[in-house]
Amino acid sequence: MDQTAVTVAAVHDVGPDAIAVEFETPEGFEARPGQFVKLIATVDGEAQPRFYTISSPDVTDTFEITIGIDPEGEVTPRLRTLAAGDEMTLSGPYGDAYYEDESRVLVLAGGPGIGPAVGIAERALDVGGQAAIVYRDDEPIHEDRLADLGARGVGIEILTPAETLDDAVADALTDETQVFIYGFAAFLDDATSALEAAGADPEAAKVENFG
Ligand SMILES: Cc1cc2nc3c(=O)[nH]c(=O)nc-3n(C[C@H](O)[C@H](O)[C@H](O)COP(=O)(O)OP(=O)(O)OC[C@H]3O[C@@H](n4cnc5c(N)ncnc54)[C@H](O)[C@@H]3O)c2cc1C
């Protein structure tokens, strides 16, 4: 989809410094959890594009992105003021690290990478699959959705930045598991090392680097 005006349907606080923004799905927009969109914000009269990954299990009537607010950032403090009825410009979807009906998934998520993690796990369960999540953050977000997923049988390991991913990743891996990794570069490095330590091939993982 080329640049299109989209209407904000709702904004939810999903934890400290994090919001989930739900948009009304424009005509013809199709996407899967894990794909991302380009959102064009205007800051001091200048267009500032930023990328956000779909965190809803589908895009049927609305779709959601999860935004970690960086108080020092140029754009995210302004996105915090979004409200239902606001219009934004976006394009997409983009990316090839998305859920394709694999029957068992393990999502490794750092910071706002938990957005696509919950969307993918929900979609996997909805189509009869299995999911596990290893999530590292200083202040966990999306706790309600993680609790619901836990109640539906998803294995969820939440770690602090001081903890290694190695044991949790080794415990959650099986031969039949498709691994996904979402987060900023430092998290991707740690997740890749954890996969290597567990004897898995990091090249087989679907990876999205947030920057
Ligand atoms: C493919 C892709 C998908 C993305 N998906 C998401 C998403 O789903 N949710 C989301 O919140 N962000 C996502 N991002 C990052 C997002 O596009 C912005 O970079 C981020 O929101 C910061 O914007 P800003 O203008 O507030 O900060 P800026 O003024 O652009 O700068 C802040 C700097 O800090 C870095 N940064 C910001 N937060 C962190 C962090 N927690 N850890 C390490 N470095 C950080 C940024 O990369 C940047 O270098 C994605 C980026 C890419 C490329």
Side-chain angles (χ1 to χ4, degrees):
M1 188 180 72
D2 294 336
Q3 282 190 19
T4 304
V6 289
T7 305
V8 174
V11 180
H12 309 281
D13 274 319
V14 292
D17 285 328
I19 53 172
V21 182
E22 222 181 301
F23 294 103
E24 289 171 13
T25 302
E27 187 80 29
F29 180 76
E30 286 181 17
R32 289 189 153 244
Q35 285 190 289
F36 58 91
V37 294
K38 179 159 82 173
L39 200 64
I40 317 280
T42 305
V43 179
D44 299 333
E46 222 179 275
Q48 292 273 12
R50 292 290 184 276
F51 298 101
Y52 295 102
T53 310
I54 290 169
S55 58
S56 47
D58 60 58
V59 301
T60 308
D61 297 316
T62 62
F63 70 94
E64 182 202 80
I65 57 174
T66 297
I67 302 175
I69 310 291
D70 176 352
E72 310 294 322
E74 270 198 77
V75 170
T76 50
R78 313 203 179 218
L79 298 179
R80 188 195 266 295
T81 63
L82 282 174
D86 288 349
E87 265 202 3
M88 295 286 299
T89 302
L90 63 74
S91 61
Y94 304 104
D96 52 14
Y98 56 88
Y99 181 63
E100 295 175 278
D101 291 340
E102 292 93 344
S103 56
R104 181 174 166 80
V105 300
L106 166 62
V107 193
L108 311 183
I114 193 60
V118 293
I120 287 172
E122 288 165 353
R123 180 70 170 260
L125 296 190
D126 290 348
V127 299
Q130 292 180 302
I133 294 174
V134 175
Y135 168 36
R136 194 170 75 183
D137 210 342
D138 50 352
E139 293 182 300
I141 64 171
H142 272 312
E143 287 181 306
D144 291 349
R145 277 165 77 185
L146 286 168
D148 286 347
L149 285 166
R152 293 173 73 189
V154 173
I156 295 168
E157 197 68 50
I158 302 179
L159 304 169
T160 66
E163 289 177 290
T164 172
L165 299 173
D166 293 8
D167 293 344
V169 169
D171 289 348
L173 267 177
T174 70
D175 287 344
E176 304 301 317
T177 304
Q178 174 63 54
V179 178
F180 296 77
I181 310 175
Y182 296 96
F184 288 94
F187 178 78
L188 266 47
D189 289 345
D190 289 352
T192 302
S193 300
L195 287 175
E196 280 166 353
D201 175 11
E203 297 286 318
K206 296 186 181 183
V207 181
E208 198 170 278
N209 185 348
F210 285 8

